[in-house]
Amino acid sequence: MRSSRLIFATLLVVIISTTYVFVKEAGIGSRIRIANDSAQDVNITARWLEKTKHLGIVKPGSLMPITVRGEASMVFTVRYADGREIESKPVYFTPGTKINVRISEDGVDAGYDFGT
């Protein structure tokens, strides 16, 4: 009787722990890190699916982290202080994906971060 209670308790702990891990991982959105390596302020807008989100101004040398849930392709539109407007190539995101967006004087590069 005692051993069956121990087995049941152990099984219950394993089930709860596994459920917690799966639910936590499923709830993670895509983490996007935007770095402004240009010498001027940039105004950023992100578009995916039928959504458009104005992300605001990023100062030179600054980083802007954002998290997006779902799965789609995203395009970043960057408006420089000098009036230029440049779009990134589409980058596909899924839950848990890490993406780096690098803004330079010459353009916008969006790619995957395969590091930790």
Side-chain angles (χ1 to χ4, degrees):
M1 182 79 165
R2 212 170 183 181
S3 65
S4 63
R5 284 186 182 175
L6 181 61
I7 291 171
F8 177 75
T10 304
L11 183 59
L12 188 60
V13 168
V14 169
I15 290 171
I16 290 172
S17 300
T18 305
T19 303
Y20 173 78
V21 168
F22 283 120
V23 168
K24 183 179 176 195
E25 289 299 316
I28 293 176
S30 177
R31 293 187 300 252
I32 301 170
R33 183 180 161 266
I34 301 169
N36 182 2
D37 294 338
S38 75
Q40 53 187 305
D41 290 355
V42 294
N43 203 331
I44 304 171
T45 302
R47 288 189 333 268
W48 69 103
L49 298 174
E50 295 179 8
K51 300 176 185 175
T52 299
K53 184 170 183 172
H54 177 69
L55 302 176
I57 295 173
V58 180
K59 300 281 186 192
S62 296
L63 297 173
M64 174 186 279
I66 63 171
T67 302
V68 182
R69 297 195 188 279
E71 183 173 332
S73 288
M74 183 176 284
V75 174
F76 296 91
T77 303
V78 176
R79 286 175 211 82
Y80 292 85
D82 64 12
R84 290 181 295 143
E85 186 173 292
I86 299 176
E87 281 191 353
S88 71
K89 292 183 179 177
V91 62
Y92 189 75
F93 66 89
T94 60
T97 306
K98 294 179 185 178
I99 297 171
N100 290 324
V101 178
R102 184 180 162 272
I103 301 165
S104 67
E105 292 295 334
D106 301 324
V108 183
D109 292 317
Y112 300 102
D113 180 354
F114 294 110
T116 57

